[in-house]
Amino acid sequence: MVDANWLPDPSGTHELRYWNGTAWTEHVSDQGTTGVDAPTRELPLPGEAAPPPPPAPGDTNVLYYGSSDAGFGAPPPAQAPAPAPAGRSSWKDRLKQVADQGKAVAEQGRAKLAEQSAKRTEQWANDPTTLWFGESKGGATGAAGVAKARYRITRDRIWIESGLLGTRTESVPLWAVRDMDIRQAVWQRGKDVGDLVLGLDDPAYGVQQSTFDLNAVPEHGHTSGQVVLDDIEGPQQVYDLLAPLVSEARQKKTVERQSQYVHHMTPGPATTPPPSAPAAAPQPDLIEQLRRLGELRDAGILTEEEFAAQKAKLLG
């Protein structure tokens, strides 16, 4: 029985291979540097390929003889990767730090959006012109529950706020609503959630809604001519609220348009000519004026030359 030790590699692939006392291992050594190299073929036992005897003292032909006293000893156990130098973090630490920072920024953004949504809800609830307000139940994102769109109904308009990173506010006059329809999928009916689709007389009155709009920038092009209150709670109640308001608004708009048409087609009253200019005041009698000039000369107020000049002026 050969004790565990570093012995010459019987395969000849390396200088030394470690014998653990019962079998050759994958631990090898070359020029004092240890490594791992699984055997490529079955190796003989130490008894079959016995190691050479120790060299005689003073034998100059032996350049090296391995033993446990040569500084190798048993193969070292597996060690954890060396820690990064002080003051420098590994790429894994830096990647984790960036991920944590991004997560914190996202949480702050969601909290900010939730705060803005709560303020808007409070503002609408306290506004006496608000008849109903709600939000898209299918657009909540994350734990903060920020809706992709919020809706409000007043006596004359439907207001829509959309966008996640920015807010776009648009409104549609009630008199522009031509018809209304409720859309509910099977899974929505149990939750009393659905879409209220409003058809408009003119597509120009439609809003530019986009489910994936994140920065509230209007899309280029024309609107669809519809307004969809998407995934709202109690769509039938909202329909019943809107129906009389829309009917009243459309009647008022019809009367207004008829009045404008009659005013445009009916000619106005004939214009009266402007009053003529008043007749010139009659000139004083010439003889009376000459008499007054003479009195002023006789009284010494006018000189003879001034009297003659005024007299010439009256007669001229």
Side-chain angles (χ1 to χ4, degrees), residues 22-81:
T22 58
W24 294 102
T25 68
E26 67 274 15
H27 299 284
V28 295
S29 173
D30 293 285
Q31 298 181 357
T33 302
T34 59
V36 176
D37 179 28
T40 57
R41 60 184 177 85
E42 186 178 355
L43 299 176
L45 298 176
E48 299 174 353
D59 190 347
T60 58
N61 294 324
V62 177
L63 301 179
Y64 172 80
Y65 181 80
S67 69
S68 60
D69 295 333
F72 292 102
Q79 298 180 355

Side-chain angles (χ1 to χ4, degrees), residues 242-261:
L242 272 176
L245 296 175
V246 170
S247 178
E248 180 183 358
R250 289 181 66 84
Q251 289 178 4
K252 289 183 178 179
K253 191 64 176 179
T254 300
V255 172
E256 178 184 346
R257 288 173 173 171
Q258 289 176 350
S259 300
Q260 292 176 350
Y261 177 78

Side-chain angles (χ1 to χ4, degrees), residues 7-251:
L7 302 176
D9 185 4
S11 68
T13 308
H14 301 277
E15 293 181 356
L16 302 176
R17 184 176 293 272
Y18 191 76
W19 171 262
N20 62 9
T22 58
W24 294 102
T25 68
E26 67 274 15
H27 299 284
V28 295
S29 173
D30 293 285
Q31 298 181 357
T33 302
T34 59
V36 176
D37 179 28
T40 57
R41 60 184 177 85
E42 186 178 355
L43 299 176
L45 298 176
E48 299 174 353
D59 190 347
T60 58
N61 294 324
V62 177
L63 301 179
Y64 172 80
Y65 181 80
S67 69
S68 60
D69 295 333
F72 292 102
Q79 298 180 355
R88 294 182 58 187
S89 57
S90 66
W91 67 269
K92 292 183 178 179
D93 294 336
R94 291 196 297 270
L95 184 61
K96 184 178 183 299
Q97 183 179 5
V98 171
D100 292 342
Q101 291 176 352
K103 196 179 299 182
V105 171
E107 289 295 336
Q108 292 177 358
R110 283 195 291 267
K112 186 66 175 178
L113 289 174
E115 180 182 355
Q116 293 176 354
S117 178
K119 288 182 179 180
R120 174 63 75 185
T121 300
E122 181 180 1
Q123 178 184 357
W124 283 354
N126 297 328
D127 190 341
T129 63
T130 299
L131 302 180
W132 174 88
F133 67 91
E135 63 183 20
S136 175
K137 295 299 181 181
T141 58
V146 181
K148 71 178 181 183
R150 294 175 293 276
Y151 313 107
R152 181 169 72 117
I153 297 176
T154 60
R155 187 159 293 278
D156 60 346
R157 285 185 175 271
I158 300 171
W159 300 84
I160 298 174
E161 286 189 357
S162 58
L164 293 178
L165 302 183
T167 301
R168 181 173 75 239
T169 302
E170 300 174 277
S171 66
V172 177
L174 294 183
W175 56 260
V177 178
R178 181 183 67 253
D179 53 53
M180 298 187 295
D181 186 25
I182 296 177
R183 295 188 309 205
Q184 272 187 309
V186 175
W187 60 86
Q188 291 178 315
R189 294 174 184 171
K191 302 178 182 179
D192 195 20
V193 174
D195 302 341
L196 182 60
V197 183
L198 310 178
L200 306 179
D201 281 333
D202 189 343
Y205 295 116
V207 297
Q208 298 179 357
Q209 294 173 292
S210 174
T211 301
F212 302 101
D213 177 26
L214 298 181
N215 54 11
V217 177
E219 299 176 356
H220 178 72
H222 300 289
T223 60
S224 64
Q226 287 185 340
V227 173
V228 181
L229 306 188
D230 180 59
D231 277 326
I232 60 173
E233 188 174 0
Q236 185 62 54
Q237 288 79 2
V238 180
Y239 181 98
D240 295 339
L241 171 67
L242 272 176
L245 296 175
V246 170
S247 178
E248 180 183 358
R250 289 181 66 84
Q251 289 178 4

